[in-house]
Amino acid sequence: MDRFSALKAFTRVVEAGSFTRAADSLNMPNATLSKTIQQLEAHLGVSLLQRTTRRITVTPEGREYYEKARCLLEDLEEIDASFNPRVTRGLRRITGGSAVLV
Protein backbone atom coordinates (compact mmCIF):
# COMPACT_ATOMS: atom_id res chain seq x y z
CA MET A 1 0.00 0.00 0.00
CA ASP A 2 1.27 3.44 -0.92
CA ARG A 3 0.56 5.31 2.31
CA PHE A 4 0.83 8.74 0.73
CA SER A 5 -1.81 7.85 -1.87
CA ALA A 6 -3.96 6.30 0.85
CA LEU A 7 -3.64 9.46 2.92
CA LYS A 8 -4.75 11.60 -0.02
CA ALA A 9 -7.58 9.21 -0.80
CA PHE A 10 -8.84 9.24 2.78
CA THR A 11 -8.81 13.03 3.03
CA ARG A 12 -10.65 13.27 -0.28
CA VAL A 13 -13.36 10.86 0.94
CA VAL A 14 -13.86 12.92 4.10
CA GLU A 15 -13.98 16.20 2.18
CA ALA A 16 -16.27 14.86 -0.55
CA GLY A 17 -18.55 13.09 1.89
CA SER A 18 -18.83 10.04 -0.35
CA PHE A 19 -16.73 7.38 -1.96
CA THR A 20 -18.29 8.01 -5.37
CA ARG A 21 -17.51 11.74 -5.47
CA ALA A 22 -14.02 11.14 -4.08
CA ALA A 23 -13.32 8.39 -6.62
CA ASP A 24 -14.51 10.64 -9.45
CA SER A 25 -12.25 13.49 -8.33
CA LEU A 26 -9.29 11.13 -8.01
CA ASN A 27 -10.02 9.46 -11.36
CA MET A 28 -10.07 6.00 -9.85
CA PRO A 29 -12.69 3.26 -9.66
CA ASN A 30 -14.87 3.30 -6.56
CA ALA A 31 -13.80 -0.27 -5.73
CA THR A 32 -10.12 0.71 -5.81
CA LEU A 33 -10.75 3.65 -3.51
CA SER A 34 -12.72 1.49 -1.10
CA LYS A 35 -9.93 -1.12 -1.05
CA THR A 36 -7.34 1.60 -0.43
CA ILE A 37 -9.27 2.90 2.59
CA GLN A 38 -9.71 -0.65 3.91
CA GLN A 39 -5.96 -1.24 3.62
CA LEU A 40 -5.26 2.03 5.41
CA GLU A 41 -7.63 1.07 8.23
CA ALA A 42 -5.99 -2.37 8.49
CA HIS A 43 -2.54 -0.76 8.58
CA LEU A 44 -3.61 1.62 11.36
CA GLY A 45 -5.67 -0.95 13.22
CA VAL A 46 -8.64 1.40 13.60
CA SER A 47 -11.86 2.15 11.76
CA LEU A 48 -11.69 5.59 10.19
CA LEU A 49 -15.15 5.58 8.60
CA GLN A 50 -18.53 4.13 9.49
CA ARG A 51 -20.18 2.95 6.27
CA THR A 52 -23.84 2.34 5.56
CA THR A 53 -25.57 1.87 2.23
CA ARG A 54 -26.65 5.50 2.29
CA ARG A 55 -23.81 7.44 3.89
CA ILE A 56 -20.42 7.50 5.52
CA THR A 57 -19.59 8.97 8.91
CA VAL A 58 -16.12 9.79 10.14
CA THR A 59 -15.24 8.04 13.41
CA PRO A 60 -13.53 9.99 16.21
CA GLU A 61 -10.26 8.28 15.25
CA GLY A 62 -10.94 9.14 11.63
CA ARG A 63 -11.54 12.81 12.50
CA GLU A 64 -8.22 12.98 14.37
CA TYR A 65 -6.39 11.20 11.55
CA TYR A 66 -8.01 13.52 8.99
CA GLU A 67 -6.89 16.67 10.83
CA LYS A 68 -3.30 15.46 11.05
CA ALA A 69 -3.31 14.21 7.45
CA ARG A 70 -4.71 17.50 6.17
CA CYS A 71 -1.96 19.44 7.97
CA LEU A 72 0.67 17.10 6.57
CA LEU A 73 -0.62 17.51 3.01
CA GLU A 74 -0.77 21.31 3.38
CA ASP A 75 2.81 21.34 4.68
CA LEU A 76 3.92 19.24 1.72
CA GLU A 77 2.26 21.67 -0.70
CA GLU A 78 4.08 24.56 0.99
CA ILE A 79 7.39 22.74 0.74
CA ASP A 80 6.84 22.00 -2.96
CA ALA A 81 5.82 25.61 -3.61
CA SER A 82 8.93 26.94 -1.87
CA PHE A 83 11.09 25.18 -4.47
CA ASN A 84 9.00 26.07 -7.49
CA PRO A 85 10.36 29.23 -9.12
CA ARG A 86 7.07 29.79 -10.96
CA VAL A 87 5.20 30.38 -7.70
CA THR A 88 5.43 33.96 -6.49
CA ARG A 89 5.78 34.32 -2.74
CA GLY A 90 5.54 37.56 -0.83
CA LEU A 91 5.44 41.05 -2.27
CA ARG A 92 7.44 41.96 -5.33
CA ARG A 93 8.27 45.53 -6.20
CA ILE A 94 9.03 46.35 -9.80
CA THR A 95 10.51 49.70 -10.63
CA GLY A 96 11.51 51.05 -13.95
CA GLY A 97 12.61 54.24 -15.52
CA SER A 98 10.36 56.22 -17.78
CA ALA A 99 11.13 55.98 -21.45
CA VAL A 100 9.96 58.01 -24.36
CA LEU A 101 9.37 56.12 -27.57
CA VAL A 102 9.63 58.03 -30.80
Side-chain angles (χ1 to χ4, degrees):
M1 170 188 63
D2 176 1
R3 288 185 12 211
F4 180 70
S5 295
L7 191 88
K8 285 176 37 177
F10 172 70
T11 58
R12 190 66 56 93
V13 169
V14 172
E15 291 165 357
S18 86
F19 276 87
T20 301
R21 285 193 296 266
D24 288 345
S25 71
L26 293 167
N27 292 323
M28 72 169 49
N30 203 352
T32 302
L33 178 60
S34 181
K35 183 178 178 183
T36 299
I37 300 302
Q38 288 172 351
Q39 289 173 339
L40 178 61
E41 289 175 322
H43 171 75
L44 296 172
V46 296
S47 178
L48 300 172
L49 302 169
Q50 292 278 326
R51 300 159 181 84
T52 67
T53 55
R54 296 197 177 259
R55 60 185 260 202
I56 60 166
T57 306
V58 182
T59 64
E61 294 85 359
R63 178 62 51 197
E64 183 179 352
Y65 191 78
Y66 169 77
E67 292 299 328
K68 291 179 179 182
R70 188 178 52 80
C71 289
L72 181 65
L73 292 171
E74 287 173 0
D75 287 347
L76 182 59
E77 286 180 21
E78 272 185 43
I79 291 168
D80 287 351
S82 71
F83 288 96
N84 187 341
R86 294 175 288 178
V87 176
T88 302
R89 294 176 302 279
L91 297 174
R92 300 286 190 247
R93 183 176 306 244
I94 300 174
T95 60
S98 59
V100 177
L101 298 176
V102 180

